[in-house]
Amino acid sequence: MKRRPMPPVSRARRALMRLALALPALPTWTRAADFGFKPPRDPDDAATAELMRDLAERILPVYQDADTDAFLANVTALQIVSGAYRAAYGSSRSLRDRRQGKPFDGLAERAILDGIYANARALEADGRVGFAEAYSRSFQELVSPLDNAQAQAIMARLEIPPAVYREPLRQAFDLWRAKGSLPEAEALALVRTWLSYQSRNSFRGLLPELFAAQNSGRYVAEADIRIPVRGGVIHASVVRPGRVDGSLPTLLRFTLDPAEDDAQRSAARGYVGVTAYVRGRTPDGKGAAWPFVRDGEDAAAVIDWIARQAWSDGRVAMLGDGYSGYAAWAAARRRPPALKAIATTAAMAPGIDFPMAGQIFRNSMVRWAQEHAMAEPLPAGINGDADPDSAWQALDARWYRGNRPYWDVDRVLLGKRSRLVRTWLTHPSHDRYWQKFLPSPQQFARIDIPVLGIAGYYGADAGALYFHNEHLRNRPQADTTLLLGPYDAASIRRGTLPTLRGYTLDPVARIDLPELRYQWIDHILKGANKPALLADRVNYQVMGADQWRHVPALDAPQRSRLRLYLDTSGRDEPHRLLQSPSEGGGNARLSVDLADRRDVRTPWPDALRVKQVPVRNGISFISDPLTAATEISGSLRGVFDITSSRQDMDFSISLYEQTAAGECQLLFDPYDFRASYAGHRVRRRLLRAGERQLLPFATERVTAGRLAAGSRIVLVIGLNKRPDRQVNYGSGKDVNSETVSDAKWPVRVRWHARSYVEIQTG
C-alpha cells in the first residue's frame, strides 16, 4: 500500500456543509434604528469595501445585545470590517475564552475563524509580514490546539467558496438600493456576509497547503489500496486518526463518486474512514462501471477485508447518499458479520426512483450514466467553459423538438448509442432485472442491524420510503429509523440552508443532517446518547408549525384523513374541491396536444413558494377556506373516476397551500406516474379508451405541514409533456417506441363525480 499526504477537505462535497451556520446570525436587540446606505451595483465594485467599512463604523457605537456571546461575535465582525483588527482579535479572544468547556457550536467556530483573519490583518498592518505569512501563522496558532473534529469543522467552514456569499450580497444590495437605508439587524447581517465574502477572496488560495500541513500530523492516510474480490479488485483509500493506539470501528462508504470521499471526516470523529469504489472505478474518478450489478457482493467483501485489518475492532457501519445509499442496502442484504449499522440519505432504489420514477424514464439518467458510470468526456457541444446544466437542458430541448422514439434518447443526447442506457430502456416495468438488485422480502426480513434513513419532501424520498416501508413490512420488529423534512437531495447531503427554492424553513428544520447522522452512529457504535430528534421510528418536521413529530408510522390507519372530491359540475377554472361528491353529474375536462412543441423554451417552475399556482398542461381544483388550522402528513392518495381518449397517459399531481394572503406553498415535489402502472409497478394494464373507469393511485411522496385557518388547498393535475423526460402518447405500444407521430390528436380526459384525493390529518 502506498502512503500519501493527506489531501485538503473535498471542496466539491464540503463547500456548503455548514452554510446554515455560516450565514449571518441576526442580533437579539429590539431597537429599530435605520442606517442610511447606498449600495454599490456589484459586490466586486471598487467602492464596495469603503462603503461597507463606513456602514460598520456607524453601527459599532450604537450596537447593543443582551446576549454577551452574540454581542462579542458580532462586534468582532464589525471591528474587522471597520479596520480595527487588534480590537477585533481581542473581541474574538474574549469569545473563545467564554466558549471554553461549552459545545463547539457556531459561535465557537466564528470566534476562531474571525480570530485567524483579524490577527493576520493586524500582523500585516503592523508591517511585520505579508498577508500570506500572517494568515499562515494565525491559522497554525488557533487551529493546532483543536481536536480533530473541531479542526475539521473549521476547515469545512473555511472552504465555503466566496461565490456562495456573492449572490446573497448582490440580492441585498438590490433590495436596499431603492430604499436608501436599512434596519440595524439587516445592516449587521450585511456586514457579516460581506466579511465572509471579502475574507475568502483573500485567503482561499492559501488553504490547500495549510490544510495539508495540518492534516499530515493528525491522520494516517493510505491510498492505492487494492482489495481483491471475486473476479476483480476494488480500489480504496483509508484514513485513520493519528496518535491513537489500538483498534477502532470503521465507517465505510462504497461509492461511484470521488466527491463523496468523506473518510477524513469519519477519522475526525474517531473512526477509521474507508472509501471504496465500485468495481471498475478508481479514486480519481476514472474507469467505467456497470451500476448495481456487483455492488452488494463487492461491498460485503470489502467489509470482510476491513474486519481482518489490525486497525479494525471488527465493527463496520456504512454511510451512503443516493447511489452509495443503495450500495449500503445491497451490502446489508448479504449480512456480512462485521456490518453493524447503515445510515443513508436519499438512498437510490433501482427501478423505483431511478432511472425512472412512476415508471416514466428521465433524461437525467443519460447524464448520470455519462458522468458517473461511463466516466467519459462530455458530449460534443458541452465544453468545460459552459454551464453543464444549461448545456444538458439544450440537449433536452433538441430531443423534445425531434421526432425520434425514446429508444434514441442516448443518440440524441450523447451522439452515440449507450449500451447501459439501452439496457435500462429494455426494462420499463419493475421486472426481475430491477428486483434482483433490491433485497427480496426474505432478505428484508433478515436485516437485523440498526438502520437510519434521511429523506426530504422535495424529490429525495421515493427510494428512502421504499426501503423503510419494505423493511418494516417484512420485519415488523426492525430497528429502523426514518427522518423526513422540507429538504431536497442536495440540502440533505451538504447541510441544511435557511431557504430552499424560495421557501424559508422553520427554525427547527435548520439542522446539520450529516452531523446528525454521525451522532446516530456514535450512539450505535460508541454508546453515546441517541439524538433526541430521532425519538421514534418516524420523525418528521411539520412545515409552518416549527415543530417535529415522532410517531411509530407515518401513515397510520387509526388517524383521520381529509377527503376532497373533484367538482365536476362547473366549467370554469379553477374547479372546486368539495367535502362530498358533486351532484347532477357533469365532468371536468382536460385536453393536451402532445405534439405541440412551441413551449420548448418555456422553463418549468422550480420555486416552492409562488404568487400564483403554475398550471401547465393541467387542470386545477381549489377548496373552500379552512375553518381552522389543519395539520396534514403522509402521502396523497386518491381515485380518479375518468374517461380517457387514449389507452395510456402520464399524470402529474401537485398539491399547494394557498394562504389567505394569496401566496402558494408547494407541499411536495410534483409526482408523475404512468396510468398503466398505477398501484402495480410490475405489470402494465392499459386503460380502456372511451370507457369510464376507476384509477386508484398513491403518490410516492410525503409531506407534513400546518395549514393555517383561512388557507385553501389547491390540487393541480396535469399530463406530462416535458423536454426532460419520456413522453407517453397513449397509443398502447411500448412507450419507448412511440414518436410525436403517435400523438395524432390531443389527449382528452374527463373526471367524473367519484374522483377524490385524501391525505392524513391530525
Side-chain angles (χ1 to χ4, degrees), residues 464-681:
L465 291 171
Y466 173 83
F467 285 120
H468 178 80
N469 292 334
E470 289 300 307
H471 194 192
L472 280 179
R473 179 177 292 112
N474 293 284
R475 187 181 179 88
Q477 75 276 26
D479 182 1
T480 181
T481 303
L482 182 65
L483 181 136
L484 300 158
Y487 316 117
D488 63 7
S491 62
I492 288 175
R493 296 168 188 169
R494 296 174 177 170
T496 307
L497 309 184
T499 61
L500 177 67
R501 290 154 52 185
Y503 166 65
T504 300
L505 275 65
D506 293 341
V508 298
R510 303 172 196 177
I511 56 178
D512 188 337
L513 294 170
E515 173 64 20
L516 178 71
R517 183 167 60 181
Y518 275 109
Q519 293 172 5
W520 180 82
I521 292 173
D522 288 345
H523 166 66
I524 299 299
L525 296 183
K526 296 183 177 180
N529 291 333
K530 185 177 182 179
L533 197 58
L534 304 176
D536 212 325
R537 271 187 171 161
V538 179
N539 311 273
Y540 62 91
Q541 201 270 315
V542 184
M543 296 185 294
D546 200 26
Q547 293 179 336
W548 286 87
R549 298 279 184 262
H550 312 279
V551 295
L554 186 59
D555 286 308
Q558 68 274 19
R559 295 177 65 180
S560 60
R561 302 186 72 86
L562 173 64
R563 176 175 291 189
L564 296 170
Y565 289 86
L566 279 58
D567 181 19
T568 58
S569 61
R571 292 297 178 94
D572 296 332
E573 282 202 53
H575 299 270
R576 298 175 62 203
L577 287 173
L578 306 172
Q579 297 288 334
S580 57
S582 299
E583 297 181 0
N587 52 73
R589 302 184 180 188
L590 174 64
S591 177
V592 176
D593 184 357
L594 297 178
D596 186 354
R597 294 296 188 259
R598 289 175 296 178
D599 59 350
V600 65
R601 297 188 181 277
T602 305
W604 283 84
D606 185 59
L608 304 183
R609 197 163 184 88
V610 294
K611 294 292 185 182
Q612 185 175 1
V613 170
V615 181
R616 185 169 168 185
N617 303 322
I619 185 172
S620 61
F621 300 83
I622 186 168
S623 74
D624 292 331
L626 298 172
T627 57
T630 302
E631 186 172 311
I632 62 171
S633 61
S635 58
L636 185 75
R637 305 173 185 272
V639 173
F640 286 164
D641 176 10
I642 60 172
T643 300
S644 165
S645 67
R646 309 302 298 269
Q647 295 183 75
D648 204 1
M649 59 191 59
D650 293 346
F651 287 107
S652 177
I653 297 179
S654 305
L655 196 70
Y656 292 83
E657 175 192 7
Q658 185 183 71
T659 67
E663 287 194 314
C664 301
Q665 171 69 42
L666 184 65
L667 296 173
F668 55 79
D669 245 15
Y671 179 66
D672 301 343
F673 69 95
R674 182 152 293 161
S676 57
Y677 285 106
H680 41 84
R681 299 186 182 95

Side-chain angles (χ1 to χ4, degrees), residues 245-268:
D245 296 326
S247 57
L248 294 171
T250 300
L251 300 188
L252 167 67
R253 182 183 290 273
F254 195 84
T255 183
L256 276 162
D257 189 358
E260 288 191 343
D261 183 358
D262 52 6
Q264 181 178 298
R265 188 178 187 195
S266 295

Side-chain angles (χ1 to χ4, degrees), residues 366 395 398-399 404 406-418 421-422:
V366 179
L395 291 174
R398 180 192 299 174
W399 152 254
R404 299 174 71 172
Y406 205 74
W407 283 117
D408 291 341
V409 67
D410 51 349
R411 287 179 171 169
V412 176
L413 271 58
L414 300 177
K416 62 180 181 179
R417 174 67 73 201
S418 164
V421 172
R422 183 78 175 187

